[in-house]
Amino acid sequence: MWWQDEARIGQQTELTRRWARIGTRPSAPKDQRRASAWIFGAICPAVGKGAGIVMPRCNSAAMNRHLQEIAVHVAPGAQALLILDQAGCKRQRIGEHFKG
């Protein structure tokens, strides 16, 4: 039995604040960039195995790649049960990745 989840990590800027005299508008430059990545991970505590990848997006293609990575760690001829949550990138057929 494998347990899987994903998480987004990255930079998300907030409003910049600055003390100023009433009636003035000082400049308040800030970093406007946004960058992120997705970490996909799965573990099988019973056999002490894990599989993970880092992807630029969370979509069906990323989930398919993660399923391929998990399949590499499942013993030949064995079956795997993968526990998922309801995230949109996981709404697809996954059985094809675990054929023995």
Side-chain angles (χ1 to χ4, degrees), residues 9-98:
I9 57 168
Q11 174 180 335
Q12 187 171 359
T13 58
E14 296 181 4
L15 292 175
T16 299
R17 302 196 191 285
R18 181 173 286 187
W19 286 97
R21 294 179 190 240
I22 294 176
T24 64
R25 296 190 73 154
S27 66
K30 66 175 185 169
D31 188 352
Q32 297 286 332
R33 293 173 292 177
R34 289 183 177 230
S36 62
W38 288 85
I39 299 174
F40 288 76
I43 60 168
C44 180
V47 294
K49 290 187 177 184
I53 60 169
V54 177
M55 298 294 286
R57 291 175 197 81
C58 183
N59 55 24
S60 293
M63 187 62 190
N64 280 331
R65 178 64 189 97
H66 183 47
L67 293 171
Q68 292 168 355
E69 179 64 24
I70 295 169
V72 168
H73 299 281
V74 176
Q79 294 182 353
L81 172 65
L82 184 61
I83 307 297
L84 306 169
D85 59 17
Q86 295 285 331
C89 66
K90 298 173 192 164
R91 294 184 185 135
Q92 59 188 324
R93 292 179 57 183
I94 64 172
E96 63 191 75
H97 297 285
F98 295 99

